[in-house]
Amino acid sequence: MNLATSKSIRFDAPVTTPEQPVQARPDRPVGPISKVVGLYQMIMRRTLEHFFPDSVLEIQGDRSIIDWDGLLAEPSYRLVDDPDRLAIDIEWLGSRLTFQPGSPVPLLASERRMIDVIVRAVDYRFRGLFDQELDNRVERFHFVTEDLIIADYLAGASPYRIPAALEALRLAALSTYENRRVTTGALLLGTEHDPTLPGRENLVGAPQFNARLTAIKGFHRLCDGTRTVFVVDRQGELVRIADVAQWAEETQPEQPPAHLCPRLYQSHARATASGGHVCLVLTPAQDIKIFAEGELMFSFSDGRWRLLDIPTKFALWREAVKHSSDGGLARRLFQAALNLSAARVGALLVVVRDPEKSIPQLIAPIDRMTEEVAVDDPQDPENLSPRLAKRALHHAVRGTNLTVLEPTVLESIASLDGAVVADPDGNLLTFGAILRISAETLELGRSVQGARTLAALAASQHGPVLKISEDGYVTMFLKGRRVWEF
């Protein structure tokens, strides 16, 4: 009997001979099939950990019965949410996993959706082992599971274009051209024709945009990913090369520039604001960024994918800052964090709720700009002690409000070692400050990696904090705990 063509076979049926009576056996898979189930349960766990590395996954139970007759007909998993949205029970193939985020905060709606997409994708792949009637079962075995999950989450037309293009970018990241790292990008059209050239048909013999193109040396220099990208049609075929800023301007004239996105990639985000287009970029830092629906949605770095959901995380940050006017301070600091992250520059941005109380506890006297006496003619810094020399630098931005400070200047002062601290109205209290850390926070030092993280935890007792790491991660802290990270 062919296992691949039978949907009603019972994998636990005992093998008998005329001399051997039938004996009752547990209603569960045995032998090779049992090993396949165990393998896919492990794949499920590792895939969840790939997207949520700080999560806690615990096996809560193991059922002794699996309905193999009905298992292959339709998705067989079930997700049960915790009432407080702090955990999810995943029941699948006889096991029950409890998923808990790394921080004790409720799961975002995007994270909940991501978990469902992951479980559905692994379940579909498992059923594809035995059911030849499943749509695209063979194609899904051609690509990396994580890349397929990204395509499933974006839910665009011709989803196999995305994993094929990602494979090409990933191979390009392993290459060099004239001793330099490769950068490139691709714009996957969501429409039947290129909106900038609506009457143009793709030429006959157009190559598929996939990993095979990376074998052509010139491919690595045709597009830099920042200014120019390859345009790929709905069939996954290469159409042309385009200037991404001009393309976005011509196709999205009614769309405002994307603000919640690193400055360098705002044209990429804007290009996908409508029409179902998806933009993929291999960056100079060898990350892969995915833009869709007008936002930066995914980033691949350190060997794993990250779901960003920047709008939701910005909303949490804006609520915590509670600027007295229109939220301009929250947006200005958040945009600076995105730009610094893209440039791989570490920084610490702090908004203290009660400056009168927090300044003595958090900022050393040498860094308290509001207590310094400004003079019209600062002394020559070369003849000053380090203490007074630092005050001479403060002179450049003393009395400044961050809501009107030029974004590039804000990013410059934030790039210095130490923290930028402001009050809720945006008044700059200090920059380049080495923050004071309480004894209670120092106790956490054994379990915290990095001085910047320890300083962020200490400062978060006084107000919301954005920590930008040199690895490109942005993390929000509040009241001594991590709220989110992307």
Side-chain angles (χ1 to χ4, degrees), residues 185-188 225 229 244 268-269 271-272 277-281 289-292:
L187 180 65
L188 310 184
V229 294
V244 67
H268 303 72
T272 68
H277 312 296
V278 176
C279 191
L280 318 174
V281 177
K289 297 185 183 299
I290 299 182
F291 303 84

Side-chain angles (χ1 to χ4, degrees), residues 5-270:
T5 59
S6 175
K7 298 180 63 174
S8 60
I9 181 171
R10 296 188 63 84
F11 297 117
D12 59 339
V15 178
T16 64
T17 65
E19 295 78 23
Q20 178 184 3
V22 176
Q23 296 181 358
R25 301 188 58 183
D27 189 15
R28 61 182 303 146
V30 295
I33 300 303
S34 179
K35 292 180 180 179
V36 172
V37 172
L39 172 64
Y40 268 78
Q41 288 172 336
M42 180 186 68
I43 290 174
M44 175 73 74
R45 185 185 186 108
R46 290 185 177 179
T47 306
L48 286 165
E49 290 173 344
H50 173 94
F51 288 94
F52 301 96
D54 296 329
S55 63
V56 178
L57 290 165
E58 297 180 351
I59 297 179
Q60 300 293 345
D62 190 16
R63 297 200 305 267
S64 60
I65 297 177
I66 302 177
D67 181 12
W68 289 95
D69 289 335
L71 178 66
L72 303 178
E74 57 185 18
S76 57
Y77 65 90
R78 189 166 73 101
L79 304 184
V80 181
D81 295 291
D82 180 273
D84 298 323
R85 295 190 297 117
L86 294 175
I88 294 179
D89 281 344
I90 304 170
E91 298 180 0
W92 183 67
L93 292 186
S95 65
R96 183 161 62 93
L97 291 174
T98 293
F99 175 95
Q100 292 179 309
S103 299
V105 294
L107 286 165
L108 302 179
S110 59
E111 294 173 330
R112 171 61 171 78
R113 179 187 166 200
M114 191 73 200
I115 294 170
D116 184 81
V117 170
I118 291 170
V119 177
R120 186 184 340 126
V122 177
D123 175 76
Y124 192 94
R125 192 157 185 158
F126 172 79
R127 290 187 292 122
L129 289 173
F130 309 105
D131 188 355
Q132 291 186 346
E133 296 180 12
L134 284 178
D135 294 336
N136 302 317
R137 62 181 290 273
V138 176
E139 288 84 349
R140 293 189 73 88
F141 282 94
H142 290 171
F143 300 104
V144 177
T145 300
E146 290 78 14
D147 292 352
L148 288 167
I149 289 169
I150 297 295
D152 291 343
Y153 187 93
L154 296 175
S158 305
Y160 297 114
R161 293 184 308 164
I162 293 176
L166 289 174
E167 189 176 41
L169 266 59
R170 196 174 286 114
L171 282 177
L174 300 175
S175 307
T176 59
Y177 186 83
E178 295 181 350
N179 238 7
R180 289 182 292 173
R181 305 298 297 182
V182 172
T183 62
T184 188
L187 180 65
L188 310 184
L189 296 176
T191 51
E192 288 296 337
H193 301 279
D194 184 343
T196 62
L197 301 168
R200 180 182 184 273
E201 295 288 341
N202 200 7
L203 300 177
V204 177
Q208 289 285 319
F209 189 85
N210 55 30
R212 292 182 179 180
L213 287 180
T214 63
I216 305 172
K217 199 66 175 178
F219 169 83
H220 300 305
R221 280 296 170 214
L222 277 177
C223 292
D224 65 5
T226 303
R227 297 168 301 173
T228 55
V229 294
F230 293 103
V231 178
V232 181
D233 65 19
R234 286 168 65 94
Q235 288 69 47
E237 296 178 348
L238 178 62
V239 177
R240 67 185 185 95
I241 300 171
D243 180 292
V244 67
Q246 181 176 333
W247 196 95
E249 182 66 29
E250 293 180 15
T251 61
Q252 313 286 349
E254 305 300 325
Q255 297 293 338
H259 294 290
L260 298 174
C261 176
R263 183 187 301 113
L264 189 62
Y265 301 107
Q266 289 190 358
S267 293
H268 303 72
R270 185 182 179 189

Side-chain angles (χ1 to χ4, degrees), residues 440-450 453-454 457:
E440 294 80 5
T441 305
L442 281 174
E443 289 295 323
L444 298 174
R446 298 176 182 176
S447 59
V448 171
Q449 295 181 351
T453 301
L454 191 60
L457 284 170

Side-chain angles (χ1 to χ4, degrees), residues 348 350 362-364 366-369 390 394 413 416-421 429-436 455:
L348 202 62
V350 183
L362 191 62
I363 306 174
I366 187 176
D367 292 316
R368 298 175 191 171
M369 293 174 58
K390 195 167 187 178
H394 289 170
I413 64 174
L416 296 180
D417 289 339
V420 170
V421 184
L429 303 179
T430 189
F431 70 92
I434 306 303
L435 302 180
R436 289 177 163 179

Side-chain angles (χ1 to χ4, degrees), residues 345-405:
V345 175
L348 202 62
L349 307 175
V350 183
V351 179
V352 294
R353 296 191 192 90
D354 187 349
E356 188 172 332
K357 177 182 178 181
S358 296
I359 287 177
Q361 299 179 26
L362 191 62
I363 306 174
I366 187 176
D367 292 316
R368 298 175 191 171
M369 293 174 58
T370 56
E371 298 178 9
E372 297 170 357
V373 177
V375 294
D376 294 332
D377 184 19
Q379 301 178 59
D380 183 2
E382 294 183 359
N383 299 319
L384 295 179
S385 66
R387 175 188 297 268
L388 294 179
K390 195 167 187 178
R391 290 187 174 184
L393 294 179
H394 289 170
H395 178 80
V397 290
R398 183 182 289 110
T400 298
N401 190 287
L402 297 186
T403 60
V404 297
L405 186 66

